[in-house]
Amino acid sequence: MPITEIVPIGTHIWEAFGLLSQNPGAYTGHGPLPDDGTYHTNISPVDGKPLPAVQRASSAAYDTLVRRAQEAFLVWRRIPAPKRGEIVRIFGEKVRQKKEALAQIISYEMGKTYQEAQGEVQEVIDMCDFGVGLSRQLYGLTIASERPDHRMYEQWHPLGVVGIITAFNFPVAVWAWNAIIAAVCGDTTIWKPSEKAPLSAIAIFSLLQETIREHDLPEGVCTLIIGDAQIGQQMACDPRLPLISATGSVRMGRSVAQQVAKRLGRSLLELGGNNAVIITPHANLDLALRAVTFAALGTSGQRCTSLRRLLLHESIFDNFLQKLIAVYQQASQRIGNPLHPETLIGPLIDRTAVQTMQEALQEVKDQGGKILFGGEILEGPGYESGCYVRPAIVTAENDWPIVQRETFAPILYVIKYQTLEEAIAIQNSVPQGLSSSIFTENLLEAELFLSSRGSDCGIANVNIGPSGAEIGGAFGGEKETGGGREAGSDAWKAYMRRQTVTINYGDTLPLAQGIRFEI
């Protein structure tokens, strides 16, 4: 039986974050700003009921936020980095204490399962832990000088006010990837979350406000603005924001990149993915089956790292496909309210996403593909929102226009290949380049996949799926995915400016390259 029991989100959860009343659209670290923007009410994809209203901020509110962020930057940058890390640590503890309540809001607002929502909040906590350590490791380099009695080194300084634009599918984690690192680096931030998930943003930001107030930090260290695409456009065009980090569609990212480039600013883009898994005859097929299932069905196919294309060797094609369809049949019995503990697959974000999925499936059929499983819109008790679908498995050819595009829905294109070189070529033959995986226990196959002749994606995995990246590595992709890198490794360098320093501690003035200039 499908899971249709409605698990309500308690009033106390909304109250804990002050979300029951009408929510202003602009926040500084010391509270909301007066505003004259219009109010907007989203509908929960879980049960179709209206969510608490949120005000869309005006252009005047945006300008006020940026000015306060600029003023706060002058103070924040002077606080030693380890002290900034301590503020991040305290904020992380507050998030840890409210993890379950935050997860409920995320789940009910955008539809991912409660388990996945808890994982997203944990990612924020992990980023805070990472940021604490990073605050003592913003290293420069010592460089050998060719001139006697000279010392050269490299140091890093904060940029200023960083603009952060995030998408609905990870309404708090992607913000943390950026905001935590920016804060440790000495930047102030202005965050525009997705219009489809503003309540999750306001909820977690309320904990940050608490932290800022408790430590008497300047208003504007971190700010939040709720608005439509016009606010995002203002951010992209605003020379007061030296860096814009934007997560979303390729179309949105291209627009942001063009506007930022016009003013010679920096952009950090995390855009679409069209991720593939290659399964070879030397794979552990049981392991691959489990990985494929989560990668394709997690967050109802609404991750930028979701599995879109499954490349199966011809010798295992029929056998693996038969097992996969059986697993999909089992998983489809656990589609329903994402707050229910037995649910595996929740709803899509809204009915527009459902319609986009149906149009994609029709295009597959028009191009000659066959739907092997699923694709239907679910109806009946518990599915009243109209946002529930049965995940689809379809046969396809990689060069079809529909396969070349990213459809943000649980559609899995199954493609047959003959040689590993052919499979790698198929995987790389899309405009996007985010995440990729191969399943094999053959060392030579794995190494070829990871070589310069292998995957052209920013993320390459062996014997794990393409989704579920850890925060310790730099996250991002190539080609139309945007080229940005966020979270771990040395991604922090995107939020700072590099300065090369030379000190002459002698009493002569030798010039580089042996140049002589004497008067």
Side-chain angles (χ1 to χ4, degrees):
M1 292 292 292
I3 299 169
T4 58
E5 175 189 349
I6 295 297
V7 181
I9 184 169
T11 301
H12 67 286
I13 299 296
W14 299 117
E15 289 176 340
F17 300 99
L19 296 172
L20 278 182
S21 59
Q22 291 184 322
N23 300 284
Y27 292 80
T28 67
H30 290 264
L33 294 177
D35 200 7
D36 58 359
T38 58
Y39 278 90
H40 176 73
T41 301
N42 286 331
I43 302 300
S44 170
V46 175
D47 55 15
K49 294 181 179 179
L51 294 162
V54 178
Q55 192 178 40
R56 286 175 171 154
S58 65
S59 294
Y62 166 77
D63 189 63
T64 300
L65 282 182
V66 175
R67 283 191 286 106
R68 293 187 182 179
Q70 286 182 299
E71 293 165 0
F73 172 66
L74 302 179
V75 177
W76 184 244
R77 68 181 177 180
R78 296 188 63 184
I79 297 174
K83 298 295 184 184
R84 298 193 294 255
E86 175 65 7
I87 301 300
V88 164
R89 184 192 67 78
I90 293 168
F91 167 62
E93 286 302 312
K94 290 181 182 293
V95 176
R96 194 185 304 271
Q97 292 165 12
K98 295 289 183 68
K99 177 179 176 179
E100 290 75 17
L102 285 166
Q104 287 187 53
I105 291 173
I106 293 168
S107 185
Y108 188 65
E109 182 175 39
M110 61 76 56
K112 68 172 54 175
T113 65
Y114 181 56
Q115 279 291 321
E116 287 192 76
Q118 285 188 310
E120 176 168 0
V121 180
Q122 184 61 47
E123 198 160 351
V124 177
I125 297 166
D126 292 345
M127 280 305 305
C128 290
D129 291 344
F130 181 85
V132 174
L134 178 64
S135 69
R136 295 180 182 271
Q137 300 180 73
L138 300 175
Y139 298 139
L141 298 173
T142 297
I143 304 163
S145 174
E146 67 182 69
R147 291 170 284 186
D149 298 333
H150 281 59
R151 181 165 68 91
M152 292 178 63
Y153 68 92
E154 189 176 84
Q155 63 182 1
W156 297 83
H157 294 297
L159 283 174
V161 184
V162 172
I164 304 170
I165 301 171
T166 59
F168 76 85
N169 58 331
F170 281 87
V172 299
V174 174
W175 165 73
W177 290 357
N178 289 274
I180 298 302
I181 303 303
V184 166
C185 290
D187 300 317
T188 56
T189 56
I190 178 168
W191 174 25
K192 180 200 170 298
S194 169
E195 277 190 278
K196 297 183 179 183
L199 296 171
S200 300
I202 295 171
I204 201 163
F205 197 80
S206 70
L207 302 179
L208 187 55
Q209 285 181 293
E210 280 183 21
T211 309
I212 292 172
R213 286 196 304 269
E214 290 168 359
H215 291 81
D216 197 28
L217 294 169
E219 190 171 358
V221 168
C222 294
T223 56
L224 167 68
I225 189 163
I226 309 298
D228 56 16
Q230 181 59 38
I231 293 294
Q233 183 81 353
Q234 279 185 264
M235 294 172 68
C237 296
D238 194 338
R240 295 173 295 178
L241 308 183
L243 171 66
I244 298 292
S245 175
T247 303
S249 67
V250 172
R251 178 186 57 79
M252 180 276 290
R254 184 173 285 115
S255 174
V256 168
Q258 290 171 351
Q259 295 301 325
V260 174
K262 283 182 182 178
R263 58 179 176 86
L264 299 180
R266 300 189 196 181
S267 57
L268 195 168
L269 303 175
E270 298 290 355
L271 310 177
N274 196 347
N275 315 295
V277 165
I278 299 171
I279 303 181
T280 82
H282 301 107
N284 179 330
L285 296 184
D286 290 337
L287 183 70
L289 185 63
R290 294 198 301 273
V292 164
T293 303
F294 174 73
L297 302 183
T299 322
S300 302
Q302 297 174 115
R303 293 183 174 214
C304 54
T305 54
S306 289
L307 175 58
R308 308 291 178 203
R309 298 172 296 139
L310 178 60
L311 313 184
L312 296 173
H313 189 267
E314 59 184 358
S315 66
I316 60 171
F317 186 88
D318 293 334
N319 179 47
F320 191 88
L321 196 51
Q322 182 180 2
K323 291 181 179 179
L324 183 62
I325 291 172
V327 170
Y328 264 58
Q329 289 171 336
Q330 295 174 23
S332 293
Q333 299 305 308
R334 297 170 67 180
I335 301 173
N337 187 287
L339 289 162
H340 195 289
E342 294 300 316
T343 296
L344 284 180
I345 305 169
L348 297 186
I349 183 63
D350 53 28
R351 291 190 178 189
T352 300
V354 173
Q355 182 60 33
T356 299
M357 177 179 176
Q358 298 307 305
E359 292 170 357
L361 291 173
Q362 184 59 52
E363 188 171 343
V364 167
K365 290 189 285 187
D366 292 344
Q367 291 173 349
K370 182 179 180 181
I371 299 177
L372 304 177
F373 180 86
E376 309 93 339
I377 301 173
L378 300 179
E379 300 176 342
Y383 301 137
E384 290 87 354
S385 70
C387 298
Y388 293 88
V389 297
R390 200 181 310 280
I393 301 173
V394 302
T395 58
E397 297 295 332
N398 195 68
D399 59 354
W400 291 351
I402 187 59
V403 179
Q404 291 285 307
R405 301 195 303 268
E406 179 190 42
T407 300
F408 226 51
I411 301 175
L412 181 60
Y413 302 112
V414 183
I415 301 168
K416 186 183 296 186
Y417 76 89
Q418 294 181 325
T419 67
L420 181 55
E421 289 78 6
E422 177 193 4
I424 292 172
I426 291 171
Q427 178 204 273
N428 293 345
S429 297
V430 292
Q432 311 84 358
L434 179 52
S435 190
S436 58
S437 297
I438 188 171
F439 281 83
T440 179
E441 294 186 341
N442 182 304
L443 178 62
L444 300 183
E445 290 181 335
E447 290 294 338
L448 174 60
F449 177 77
L450 297 174
S451 74
S452 61
R453 295 182 289 134
S455 170
D456 66 358
C457 296
I459 299 170
N461 298 321
V462 176
N463 294 330
I464 62 170
S467 63
E470 297 182 34
I471 61 101
F475 181 92
E478 301 301 321
K479 301 187 292 189
E480 287 191 359
T481 300
R485 293 296 186 274
E486 296 171 337
S489 185
D490 65 349
W492 60 270
K493 293 179 179 178
Y495 306 87
M496 304 194 81
R497 58 183 176 87
R498 187 194 311 251
Q499 187 174 73
T500 301
V501 178
T502 305
I503 299 172
N504 179 0
Y505 56 89
D507 57 6
T508 61
L509 192 65
L511 300 178
Q513 292 85 48
I515 295 173
R516 297 178 64 87
F517 188 82
E518 297 178 357
I519 296 176

